[in-house]
Amino acid sequence: MTLACGIVALLATLAWLAGVVWFLRFFRAPAVEVPGRVTLLLAVTGRTDGLPPLFAALARQTLRPRRMLVAVEAEADPALAQVRELQHLLPFPVEVVVAGLDDTRSQKATNMIAALARVDADDDALVLLDADILPQDHWLSWLATPALNGAADLVTGYRWHALDGAGPARHVVAWLDRSLALGPRFLASGLVWGGSVAISRDALARMDLAEALSRTFSTDGAISRRARALGLRVLTRRAVLLPTPPEGGDREAIAFKTRQLQIVHVYVPSLWVWLGVALHAEALVLPLALLGLGGNGVALGFVAAVGAVGVARALLHDRVTRAVGIREGLPARAAQVALGALAPITAPAVVALFWTSARTRVIRWRHIEYEVRGPEDVRVLRRHNPGAAA
């Protein structure tokens, strides 16, 4: 039994390591960048510290957007005043859309539907983005080029957590999320991350996004489902990893990752199950550690091997961090190495985080609590003031 548990745990952590090695092997800047008329769409709520640096980063883009549509839920939303304060920083127009309320879908979906009504024939591509990213100067060009030149119908990237000043729970969240960003793509084939996705003009016309979003909780899930149904070409551009600075403390980090995993559970249950299997396999290192403390040398050897692989993963994650343009301080880098080395603690902590997503009936997103009975069966339970912590 010790041998079997050890082999399973070691193979599980080696699989994550293989994903990082494969990513770094093929990580390179795109060779082609093309011009085009691109409209940005940002759905935002509440006043956030991340909006000023986001606007500054958008002003530096090598591919200048045609304009940005910003959708808020109400005139009283603090995001509206903040956007108006900051829009002078951008060298392109900002159009603000007040969406109103709807209790049969997420507020983000309602905001996006209102903004989509402004998209017109002058747009070669539409790019969706989240307010918590800090894009590199080449982000828009790298993301939009395959949608502009016909190489893909949808192009998506993924977040990469920046960890300077982060607490222990956010470090655990980042450990899992970084592994997912570099994991085997076949498990998440065809999925889009709405924080950074480009949609070609032809695909946008075929998808009827307003209808696709009309009853959904997750805009990412609805877009992915519609793209699969239409057989659209979805490209995950692995070079497009978006620095995501910490927002809030450890409680907010756990709430964020719980919600993300709940969305996977609702919209791609097979992926949620595969992820659970992989994480539980790696967590077998905990009973091995207990056996090792009792004098089992074989178990102790496996624990040491899993910890060594974990350190290698952390060091390679750091290489990716630097490759995407983030320079983290020594404390943040050391904390990630410690998480890799302390696998008997880290792996069970990640499994515990995974199980917070087992129940999906009630999900809180920002200031709103929803009842989610299925991918297209959603209703608002209660609303708090915009900007309230999630």
Side-chain angles (χ1 to χ4, degrees), residues 173-209:
V173 167
W175 178 259
L176 172 59
D177 216 48
R178 288 179 173 186
S179 297
L180 295 176
L182 309 179
R185 295 312 308 166
F186 72 89
L187 290 177
S189 177
L191 299 181
V192 303
W193 171 57
S196 183
V197 57
I199 308 173
S200 72
R201 176 165 51 192
D202 291 343
L204 196 61
R206 292 177 61 192
M207 292 179 75
D208 189 5
L209 275 187

Side-chain angles (χ1 to χ4, degrees), residues 6-291:
I7 291 173
V8 170
L10 184 57
L11 287 176
T13 195
L14 283 171
W16 292 117
L17 178 64
V20 190
V21 172
W22 183 266
F23 178 92
L24 287 170
R25 170 68 178 80
F26 294 101
F27 182 87
R28 59 180 59 87
V32 177
E33 298 183 52
V34 300
R37 295 167 299 182
V38 178
T39 286
L40 306 178
L41 195 164
L42 173 67
V44 63
T45 187
R47 192 176 186 91
T48 62
D49 293 338
L51 212 57
L54 170 61
F55 274 45
L58 294 177
R60 297 191 299 266
Q61 292 301 303
T62 56
L63 174 62
R64 178 173 292 188
R66 173 192 169 204
R67 58 179 173 160
M68 181 164 69
L69 304 173
V70 179
V72 300
E73 69 176 65
E75 292 281 352
D77 191 328
L80 180 58
Q82 189 177 21
V83 169
R84 287 176 172 162
E85 291 170 8
L86 297 172
Q87 64 184 23
H88 72 278
L89 299 174
L90 299 176
F92 49 85
V94 175
E95 299 179 25
V96 178
V97 181
V98 178
L101 307 179
D102 190 294
D103 288 343
T104 62
R105 56 179 173 254
S106 70
Q107 186 61 46
K108 183 175 183 180
T110 297
N111 289 5
M112 288 178 61
I113 289 170
L116 285 167
R118 302 283 187 93
V119 177
D120 57 38
D122 289 333
D123 292 317
D124 295 323
L126 177 70
V127 167
L128 314 177
L129 69 155
D130 283 347
D132 59 352
I133 62 173
L134 189 59
Q136 307 93 329
D137 296 355
H138 53 250
W139 160 73
L140 185 58
S141 181
W142 285 14
L143 181 73
T145 287
L148 292 170
N149 66 12
D153 298 310
L154 287 85
V155 188
T156 187
Y158 199 66
R159 74 178 69 84
W160 191 259
H161 291 274
L163 291 174
D164 280 333
R170 188 171 294 277
H171 270 281
V172 173
V173 167
W175 178 259
L176 172 59
D177 216 48
R178 288 179 173 186
S179 297
L180 295 176
L182 309 179
R185 295 312 308 166
F186 72 89
L187 290 177
S189 177
L191 299 181
V192 303
W193 171 57
S196 183
V197 57
I199 308 173
S200 72
R201 176 165 51 192
D202 291 343
L204 196 61
R206 292 177 61 192
M207 292 179 75
D208 189 5
L209 275 187
E211 193 280 329
L213 299 174
S214 63
R215 296 175 299 278
T216 194
F217 172 75
S218 168
T219 56
D220 303 9
I223 293 170
S224 299
R225 286 162 61 91
R226 181 57 58 93
R228 286 198 301 271
L230 294 173
L232 299 178
R233 298 164 299 162
V234 178
L235 171 66
T236 299
R237 195 150 216 189
R238 308 199 75 175
V240 181
L241 282 179
L242 276 295
T244 306
E247 183 182 7
D250 284 339
R251 186 176 68 88
E252 288 77 16
I254 293 171
F256 157 80
K257 197 58 198 172
T258 295
R259 185 178 67 252
Q260 296 299 310
L261 290 170
Q262 286 174 314
I263 289 172
V264 173
H265 194 178
V266 171
Y267 286 86
V268 200
S270 60
L271 177 58
W272 187 82
V273 170
W274 275 109
L275 177 60
V277 169
L279 297 179
H280 282 79
E282 193 173 11
L284 290 173
V285 70
L286 174 58
L288 289 170
L290 297 176
L291 290 172

